[in-house]
Amino acid sequence: QQLGQQILAAWDQWDGDLELPERACHGDLKVSNIRMDTEGRYARCLIDLDTLGMMPLAVEMGDAWRSWCNPTMEDDWRNTRFCVQTFEATATAWLQQAPDLDSEELHSLVPGIERICLELSARFCADAVQNTYFSEDRARFPDVGEHNLIRARSQFTLAQSARSQRRACEEVIQKAVHSISRARYGTPCPSLSPSALLANTSRASASRRRYCAGSWPQPCLRVVMTATCTLNTAHPHPSH
């Protein structure tokens, strides 16, 4: 109950945008859904294609970075943290190959990480009681609901960690977009100044109340392959 109240309180404080453009996405870009070559250097394909659909990139990539940037296992809540270094490596690589994003999509990327962590934390927390969706490791967690409760706590810890480093992540996006814009067009992107990154808070707070639960977004194969190759080189860690 205490964890549930903490999740709800954190969701009330979240100020991201929920009304975003949708694109064709994979839907579940966790590390274990990306197959590497025998040397572990290059991504070769994606699996688990039943989640393909139209979704906002903020959810697609929020879920990806939730998985990629946590250097420990999903149920190791005491050591869970959001690694900005891994985020910088993968976000920079992804943006270099990503489709052209409008300012609304760019502004939504970093808040999307906390959003997905909170949503998944809520789902794990609910299933700790209902025990109807997520399978649990009975060898390690013999009590029904214990494993899901630990997972819920881990995702909530990850959400807090991502939130505390939000400004650093926004600076990563800003730096990457300016660099790409300068390389392609000879000038930095004017719409991604530090103040602009925070300018949509009021509109986002109003729109989020109209959110319909159940949208779980994620990018194209070539884009994900590039980001994952960078991820594997910069920060190898267990699949989760």
Side-chain angles (χ1 to χ4, degrees):
Q1 184 177 5
Q2 181 181 10
L3 178 59
Q5 291 172 342
Q6 290 174 325
I7 295 170
L8 288 173
W11 181 247
D12 284 338
Q13 295 175 6
W14 185 79
D15 59 0
D17 200 342
L18 293 168
E19 294 184 351
L20 296 165
E22 293 187 343
R23 296 177 181 263
C25 296
H26 175 269
D28 191 8
L29 293 178
K30 61 186 178 183
V31 173
S32 57
N33 280 342
I34 303 170
R35 288 294 180 255
M36 310 296 292
D37 65 8
T38 54
E39 296 181 356
R41 295 189 61 190
Y42 297 101
R44 294 304 187 191
C45 68
L46 298 174
I47 61 172
D48 197 9
L49 303 182
D50 62 311
T51 54
L52 289 170
M54 299 298 294
M55 315 168 187
L57 286 176
V59 182
E60 167 88 316
M61 297 310 300
D63 192 38
W65 284 316
R66 171 199 70 80
S67 172
W68 300 352
C69 300
N70 177 11
T72 189
M73 301 298 290
E74 193 173 62
D75 51 22
D76 183 11
W77 72 272
R78 295 184 185 279
N79 295 307
T80 290
R81 63 182 177 85
F82 188 83
C83 178
V84 176
Q85 290 75 20
T86 302
F87 175 78
E88 181 174 14
T90 55
T92 301
W94 180 75
L95 285 167
Q96 289 172 348
Q97 298 293 330
D100 289 337
L101 308 182
D102 62 28
S103 60
E104 185 180 34
E105 290 177 301
L106 286 169
H107 292 148
S108 71
L109 291 175
V110 174
I113 302 166
E114 183 187 0
R115 166 189 172 177
I116 295 302
C117 291
L118 289 174
E119 287 189 3
L120 190 53
S121 179
R123 293 179 64 196
F124 278 132
C125 195
D127 209 46
V129 177
Q130 299 168 347
N131 206 244
T132 57
Y133 187 81
F134 296 105
S135 61
E136 297 184 311
D137 186 345
R138 286 286 178 266
R140 296 171 56 214
F141 304 94
D143 294 336
V144 175
E146 180 184 5
H147 194 185
N148 281 331
L149 185 59
I150 293 295
R151 288 162 161 169
R153 194 178 302 280
S154 178
Q155 290 304 302
F156 181 70
T157 300
L158 191 61
Q160 291 179 306
S161 179
R163 182 179 182 87
S164 70
Q165 300 177 95
R166 178 168 171 175
R167 180 57 64 90
C169 292
E170 288 171 340
E171 290 175 354
V172 166
I173 299 294
Q174 176 194 354
K175 179 181 176 181
V177 171
H178 283 185
S179 177
I180 293 166
S181 179
R182 188 177 291 110
R184 291 179 182 174
Y185 312 113
T187 180
C189 175
S191 65
L192 205 68
S193 64
S195 58
L197 278 168
L198 303 176
N200 290 346
T201 299
S202 296
R203 179 175 58 82
S205 297
S207 69
R208 65 189 294 273
R209 298 305 177 188
R210 297 190 292 273
Y211 171 60
C212 177
S215 62
W216 282 81
Q218 276 105 351
C220 93
L221 181 62
R222 182 167 64 94
V223 173
V224 177
M225 296 303 100
T226 302
T228 311
C229 291
T230 307
L231 162 70
N232 196 59
T233 301
H235 187 68
H237 62 78
S239 297
H240 54 278

